[in-house]
Amino acid sequence: MDKTKEQFEANQALWNQKTEVHRDSDFYKNEAFLAGASSLNDEEVEAIGDVSGKSLLHLQCHFGQDTLSFARMGAHVTGVDLSNKSIDLAKEQAKKIGIDAHFVCCNVLDTRKHLSEQFDIVFTSYGTIGWLPDLKPWAEVVQQSLKPGGMFVIIDFHPMLWSLDDKFEQFGYPYFNRKTIIEDTEGTYADTEAAIGGKSYSWNHSFAELFESLKSQGLTIETFNEYDYSNYNCFPNVKEFAQGKWRFPQHEDRIPYMYLQKWIKPI
Ligand SMILES: C[S@@+](CC[C@H](N)C(=O)[O-])C[C@H]1O[C@@H](n2cnc3c(N)ncnc32)[C@H](O)[C@@H]1O
């Protein structure tokens, strides 16, 4: 079998295992979500602005909490994810809360085989491009999925963070996309004790690689922010220093944790 196909299949199996654990975890606060709480953070909400009446495509949507949160704000939403269990759960959740949403199970790189529509907004967040070996075909999907004048927003963990070792103390991995990172994982960030695990395949992407991939598709950048905190408690031993904001005590505010970019497809 093609090596990349095998790697995607291993990642899919892993994300399938994670889905139910995540649904039941304190991390994802699913009961609160079902009861009406938004899973979105101020950073992405402010960057995207009013979504009411707009079409929104959420790439790598996991089990759809963010997708459905945008729907609650009035967007017409479509979510795409590789994990069939995540997509099944996303559909179940949509039904439970009475939201009309479209969810598609596929590799993000195959999105255009499943969707011909173009969207006002394409969104992806927190733990996304690291699952892709090459950003060029991904950027092509983003471009092809946007209407002229449409906006693409990515908010994700900073590439510098992924160049730190597993304890996030010193440099441990190449900052650049030099090799496939193969890990034997146990548990998950949302529940480190969960009895799940397996091989994962991921890739680091420098900012230059990200920039070049989207720029070469003709998109223009409008916003680029870096943040000295994480919105999620998904790294070992991070401490909450303000409500919902996390940092490593060993690094505090001296390193970047997240970034946001807003790109526009010219008319
Ligand atoms: C960390 S989650 C996305 C974060 C999301 N904000 C959340 O926590 O709900 C990563 C998602 O990417 C999906 N994924 C990984 N590789 C993918 C691929 N090649 N195509 C589509 N989805 C993929 C996984 O199934 C998983 O649902």
PDB file of all heavy atoms in Angstrom, residues 26 58 60 66 92 103 116 126 128 140 154 167 173 177 182 184 244 248-249 252:
ATOM      1  N   ASP A  26     -13.720  15.874  30.450  1.00  0.00           N
ATOM      2  CA  ASP A  26     -13.936  17.219  31.018  1.00  0.00           C
ATOM      3  C   ASP A  26     -13.431  18.274  30.029  1.00  0.00           C
ATOM      4  O   ASP A  26     -13.937  19.383  29.961  1.00  0.00           O
ATOM      5  CB  ASP A  26     -13.151  17.384  32.331  1.00  0.00           C
ATOM      6  CG  ASP A  26     -13.714  16.488  33.420  1.00  0.00           C
ATOM      7  OD1 ASP A  26     -14.873  16.055  33.275  1.00  0.00           O
ATOM      8  OD2 ASP A  26     -12.984  16.194  34.391  1.00  0.00           O
ATOM      9  N   HIS A  58     -15.898  24.042   7.683  1.00  0.00           N
ATOM     10  CA  HIS A  58     -14.955  23.796   8.773  1.00  0.00           C
ATOM     11  C   HIS A  58     -14.128  22.557   8.425  1.00  0.00           C
ATOM     12  O   HIS A  58     -14.667  21.446   8.388  1.00  0.00           O
ATOM     13  CB  HIS A  58     -15.748  23.596  10.080  1.00  0.00           C
ATOM     14  CG  HIS A  58     -14.881  23.404  11.276  1.00  0.00           C
ATOM     15  ND1 HIS A  58     -15.372  23.052  12.504  1.00  0.00           N
ATOM     16  CD2 HIS A  58     -13.537  23.511  11.438  1.00  0.00           C
ATOM     17  CE1 HIS A  58     -14.376  22.951  13.371  1.00  0.00           C
ATOM     18  NE2 HIS A  58     -13.252  23.213  12.734  1.00  0.00           N
ATOM     19  N   GLN A  60     -11.351  19.706   9.118  1.00  0.00           N
ATOM     20  CA  GLN A  60     -10.877  18.942  10.287  1.00  0.00           C
ATOM     21  C   GLN A  60     -11.703  19.305  11.530  1.00  0.00           C
ATOM     22  O   GLN A  60     -11.177  19.742  12.562  1.00  0.00           O
ATOM     23  CB  GLN A  60      -9.369  19.142  10.486  1.00  0.00           C
ATOM     24  CG  GLN A  60      -8.588  18.588   9.292  1.00  0.00           C
ATOM     25  CD  GLN A  60      -7.088  18.733   9.422  1.00  0.00           C
ATOM     26  OE1 GLN A  60      -6.470  19.380   8.597  1.00  0.00           O
ATOM     27  NE2 GLN A  60      -6.502  18.138  10.440  1.00  0.00           N
ATOM     28  N   ASP A  66     -17.261  22.973  17.264  1.00  0.00           N
ATOM     29  CA  ASP A  66     -17.040  24.333  16.752  1.00  0.00           C
ATOM     30  C   ASP A  66     -17.945  24.613  15.548  1.00  0.00           C
ATOM     31  O   ASP A  66     -18.498  25.716  15.410  1.00  0.00           O
ATOM     32  CB  ASP A  66     -15.569  24.537  16.346  1.00  0.00           C
ATOM     33  CG  ASP A  66     -14.638  24.600  17.546  1.00  0.00           C
ATOM     34  OD1 ASP A  66     -15.117  24.530  18.691  1.00  0.00           O
ATOM     35  OD2 ASP A  66     -13.410  24.718  17.334  1.00  0.00           O
ATOM     36  N   GLU A  92     -24.855  13.094  14.989  1.00  0.00           N
ATOM     37  CA  GLU A  92     -25.730  12.766  16.129  1.00  0.00           C
ATOM     38  C   GLU A  92     -25.956  14.013  16.991  1.00  0.00           C
ATOM     39  O   GLU A  92     -27.077  14.304  17.424  1.00  0.00           O
ATOM     40  CB  GLU A  92     -25.016  11.674  16.933  1.00  0.00           C
ATOM     41  CG  GLU A  92     -25.824  11.004  17.994  1.00  0.00           C
ATOM     42  CD  GLU A  92     -24.921  10.052  18.797  1.00  0.00           C
ATOM     43  OE1 GLU A  92     -24.205   9.216  18.192  1.00  0.00           O
ATOM     44  OE2 GLU A  92     -24.916  10.175  20.042  1.00  0.00           O
ATOM     45  N   PHE A 103     -22.263  17.248   7.325  1.00  0.00           N
ATOM     46  CA  PHE A 103     -20.951  16.720   7.712  1.00  0.00           C
ATOM     47  C   PHE A 103     -20.496  15.674   6.694  1.00  0.00           C
ATOM     48  O   PHE A 103     -21.292  14.831   6.274  1.00  0.00           O
ATOM     49  CB  PHE A 103     -21.010  16.101   9.109  1.00  0.00           C
ATOM     50  CG  PHE A 103     -21.101  17.129  10.202  1.00  0.00           C
ATOM     51  CD1 PHE A 103     -22.305  17.387  10.841  1.00  0.00           C
ATOM     52  CD2 PHE A 103     -19.973  17.861  10.585  1.00  0.00           C
ATOM     53  CE1 PHE A 103     -22.401  18.346  11.840  1.00  0.00           C
ATOM     54  CE2 PHE A 103     -20.052  18.824  11.580  1.00  0.00           C
ATOM     55  CZ  PHE A 103     -21.266  19.066  12.213  1.00  0.00           C
ATOM     56  N   SER A 116     -18.908  20.538  -4.210  1.00  0.00           N
ATOM     57  CA  SER A 116     -18.651  21.420  -5.359  1.00  0.00           C
ATOM     58  C   SER A 116     -18.929  22.877  -5.003  1.00  0.00           C
ATOM     59  O   SER A 116     -18.452  23.793  -5.649  1.00  0.00           O
ATOM     60  CB  SER A 116     -19.505  20.988  -6.554  1.00  0.00           C
ATOM     61  OG  SER A 116     -20.844  20.920  -6.135  1.00  0.00           O
ATOM     62  N   TYR A 126      -6.789  24.626  15.763  1.00  0.00           N
ATOM     63  CA  TYR A 126      -6.207  23.910  16.911  1.00  0.00           C
ATOM     64  C   TYR A 126      -5.930  22.417  16.668  1.00  0.00           C
ATOM     65  O   TYR A 126      -6.693  21.551  17.116  1.00  0.00           O
ATOM     66  CB  TYR A 126      -7.131  24.062  18.147  1.00  0.00           C
ATOM     67  CG  TYR A 126      -7.452  25.481  18.518  1.00  0.00           C
ATOM     68  CD1 TYR A 126      -8.697  26.030  18.229  1.00  0.00           C
ATOM     69  CD2 TYR A 126      -6.494  26.283  19.142  1.00  0.00           C
ATOM     70  CE1 TYR A 126      -8.993  27.351  18.559  1.00  0.00           C
ATOM     71  CE2 TYR A 126      -6.789  27.591  19.478  1.00  0.00           C
ATOM     72  CZ  TYR A 126      -8.040  28.127  19.191  1.00  0.00           C
ATOM     73  OH  TYR A 126      -8.342  29.412  19.520  1.00  0.00           O
ATOM     74  N   THR A 128      -4.385  20.974  13.367  1.00  0.00           N
ATOM     75  CA  THR A 128      -4.889  20.675  12.016  1.00  0.00           C
ATOM     76  C   THR A 128      -3.781  20.305  11.016  1.00  0.00           C
ATOM     77  O   THR A 128      -3.601  19.133  10.700  1.00  0.00           O
ATOM     78  CB  THR A 128      -5.697  21.866  11.479  1.00  0.00           C
ATOM     79  OG1 THR A 128      -4.866  23.038  11.499  1.00  0.00           O
ATOM     80  CG2 THR A 128      -6.938  22.103  12.315  1.00  0.00           C
ATOM     81  N   GLU A 140      -4.609  24.255  -1.904  1.00  0.00           N
ATOM     82  CA  GLU A 140      -5.436  24.224  -3.112  1.00  0.00           C
ATOM     83  C   GLU A 140      -6.906  23.963  -2.726  1.00  0.00           C
ATOM     84  O   GLU A 140      -7.815  24.597  -3.266  1.00  0.00           O
ATOM     85  CB  GLU A 140      -4.924  23.113  -4.031  1.00  0.00           C
ATOM     86  CG  GLU A 140      -5.321  23.306  -5.466  1.00  0.00           C
ATOM     87  CD  GLU A 140      -4.695  22.238  -6.364  1.00  0.00           C
ATOM     88  OE1 GLU A 140      -3.610  21.698  -6.030  1.00  0.00           O
ATOM     89  OE2 GLU A 140      -5.313  21.940  -7.388  1.00  0.00           O
ATOM     90  N   ILE A 154      -7.289  30.436   9.898  1.00  0.00           N
ATOM     91  CA  ILE A 154      -6.657  29.312  10.602  1.00  0.00           C
ATOM     92  C   ILE A 154      -6.164  29.833  11.940  1.00  0.00           C
ATOM     93  O   ILE A 154      -5.519  30.888  12.013  1.00  0.00           O
ATOM     94  CB  ILE A 154      -5.492  28.689   9.786  1.00  0.00           C
ATOM     95  CG1 ILE A 154      -4.827  27.544  10.584  1.00  0.00           C
ATOM     96  CG2 ILE A 154      -4.461  29.700   9.311  1.00  0.00           C
ATOM     97  CD1 ILE A 154      -3.850  26.691   9.779  1.00  0.00           C
ATOM     98  N   LYS A 167       8.519  16.923  26.466  1.00  0.00           N
ATOM     99  CA  LYS A 167       8.190  17.600  27.728  1.00  0.00           C
ATOM    100  C   LYS A 167       8.052  19.112  27.528  1.00  0.00           C
ATOM    101  O   LYS A 167       7.880  19.859  28.483  1.00  0.00           O
ATOM    102  CB  LYS A 167       9.283  17.330  28.759  1.00  0.00           C
ATOM    103  CG  LYS A 167       9.323  15.885  29.210  1.00  0.00           C
ATOM    104  CD  LYS A 167      10.381  15.722  30.287  1.00  0.00           C
ATOM    105  CE  LYS A 167      10.356  14.319  30.836  1.00  0.00           C
ATOM    106  NZ  LYS A 167      11.599  13.999  31.552  1.00  0.00           N
ATOM    107  N   TYR A 173      12.498  18.584  18.035  1.00  0.00           N
ATOM    108  CA  TYR A 173      12.102  18.168  16.675  1.00  0.00           C
ATOM    109  C   TYR A 173      12.486  19.286  15.706  1.00  0.00           C
ATOM    110  O   TYR A 173      12.558  20.452  16.102  1.00  0.00           O
ATOM    111  CB  TYR A 173      10.583  17.947  16.615  1.00  0.00           C
ATOM    112  CG  TYR A 173      10.108  16.785  17.462  1.00  0.00           C
ATOM    113  CD1 TYR A 173       9.675  16.984  18.777  1.00  0.00           C
ATOM    114  CD2 TYR A 173      10.106  15.490  16.954  1.00  0.00           C
ATOM    115  CE1 TYR A 173       9.248  15.915  19.563  1.00  0.00           C
ATOM    116  CE2 TYR A 173       9.674  14.414  17.730  1.00  0.00           C
ATOM    117  CZ  TYR A 173       9.247  14.636  19.033  1.00  0.00           C
ATOM    118  OH  TYR A 173       8.839  13.590  19.809  1.00  0.00           O
ATOM    119  N   ASN A 177       9.764  21.140   7.939  1.00  0.00           N
ATOM    120  CA  ASN A 177       9.131  19.877   7.550  1.00  0.00           C
ATOM    121  C   ASN A 177      10.178  18.949   6.943  1.00  0.00           C
ATOM    122  O   ASN A 177      10.259  18.786   5.742  1.00  0.00           O
ATOM    123  CB  ASN A 177       8.008  20.164   6.546  1.00  0.00           C
ATOM    124  CG  ASN A 177       7.152  18.946   6.261  1.00  0.00           C
ATOM    125  OD1 ASN A 177       7.381  17.867   6.802  1.00  0.00           O
ATOM    126  ND2 ASN A 177       6.169  19.120   5.392  1.00  0.00           N
ATOM    127  N   ILE A 182       6.935  10.001  13.768  1.00  0.00           N
ATOM    128  CA  ILE A 182       6.181   8.771  14.068  1.00  0.00           C
ATOM    129  C   ILE A 182       6.228   8.560  15.578  1.00  0.00           C
ATOM    130  O   ILE A 182       7.313   8.516  16.166  1.00  0.00           O
ATOM    131  CB  ILE A 182       6.810   7.561  13.346  1.00  0.00           C
ATOM    132  CG1 ILE A 182       6.901   7.859  11.843  1.00  0.00           C
ATOM    133  CG2 ILE A 182       5.993   6.291  13.596  1.00  0.00           C
ATOM    134  CD1 ILE A 182       7.708   6.846  11.051  1.00  0.00           C
ATOM    135  N   ASP A 184       4.496   6.454  19.107  1.00  0.00           N
ATOM    136  CA  ASP A 184       3.616   5.455  19.707  1.00  0.00           C
ATOM    137  C   ASP A 184       2.876   6.160  20.821  1.00  0.00           C
ATOM    138  O   ASP A 184       3.455   6.468  21.863  1.00  0.00           O
ATOM    139  CB  ASP A 184       4.443   4.295  20.281  1.00  0.00           C
ATOM    140  CG  ASP A 184       4.897   3.373  19.171  1.00  0.00           C
ATOM    141  OD1 ASP A 184       4.040   2.930  18.385  1.00  0.00           O
ATOM    142  OD2 ASP A 184       6.112   3.123  19.072  1.00  0.00           O
ATOM    143  N   GLY A 244      -9.125  30.228  31.416  1.00  0.00           N
ATOM    144  CA  GLY A 244      -9.074  29.640  30.070  1.00  0.00           C
ATOM    145  C   GLY A 244      -7.797  29.924  29.300  1.00  0.00           C
ATOM    146  O   GLY A 244      -7.764  29.723  28.079  1.00  0.00           O
ATOM    147  N   PHE A 248       3.276  27.220  29.910  1.00  0.00           N
ATOM    148  CA  PHE A 248       4.243  26.382  30.615  1.00  0.00           C
ATOM    149  C   PHE A 248       4.912  27.229  31.689  1.00  0.00           C
ATOM    150  O   PHE A 248       5.423  28.314  31.377  1.00  0.00           O
ATOM    151  CB  PHE A 248       5.343  25.902  29.656  1.00  0.00           C
ATOM    152  CG  PHE A 248       4.843  24.973  28.589  1.00  0.00           C
ATOM    153  CD1 PHE A 248       4.811  25.380  27.260  1.00  0.00           C
ATOM    154  CD2 PHE A 248       4.434  23.692  28.902  1.00  0.00           C
ATOM    155  CE1 PHE A 248       4.368  24.524  26.279  1.00  0.00           C
ATOM    156  CE2 PHE A 248       3.985  22.823  27.921  1.00  0.00           C
ATOM    157  CZ  PHE A 248       3.949  23.243  26.601  1.00  0.00           C
ATOM    158  N   PRO A 249       4.992  26.728  32.958  1.00  0.00           N
ATOM    159  CA  PRO A 249       5.678  27.508  33.990  1.00  0.00           C
ATOM    160  C   PRO A 249       7.153  27.721  33.638  1.00  0.00           C
ATOM    161  O   PRO A 249       7.734  28.739  34.009  1.00  0.00           O
ATOM    162  CB  PRO A 249       5.539  26.664  35.257  1.00  0.00           C
ATOM    163  CG  PRO A 249       4.774  25.455  34.897  1.00  0.00           C
ATOM    164  CD  PRO A 249       4.370  25.486  33.462  1.00  0.00           C
ATOM    165  N   GLU A 252       6.663  30.453  30.609  1.00  0.00           N
ATOM    166  CA  GLU A 252       5.734  31.575  30.823  1.00  0.00           C
ATOM    167  C   GLU A 252       5.406  32.295  29.519  1.00  0.00           C
ATOM    168  O   GLU A 252       5.037  31.627  28.552  1.00  0.00           O
ATOM    169  CB  GLU A 252       6.304  32.506  31.892  1.00  0.00           C
ATOM    170  CG  GLU A 252       6.366  31.761  33.237  1.00  0.00           C
ATOM    171  CD  GLU A 252       6.826  32.599  34.381  1.00  0.00           C
ATOM    172  OE1 GLU A 252       7.662  33.482  34.188  1.00  0.00           O
ATOM    173  OE2 GLU A 252       6.330  32.347  35.494  1.00  0.00           O
TER     174      GLU A 252
END
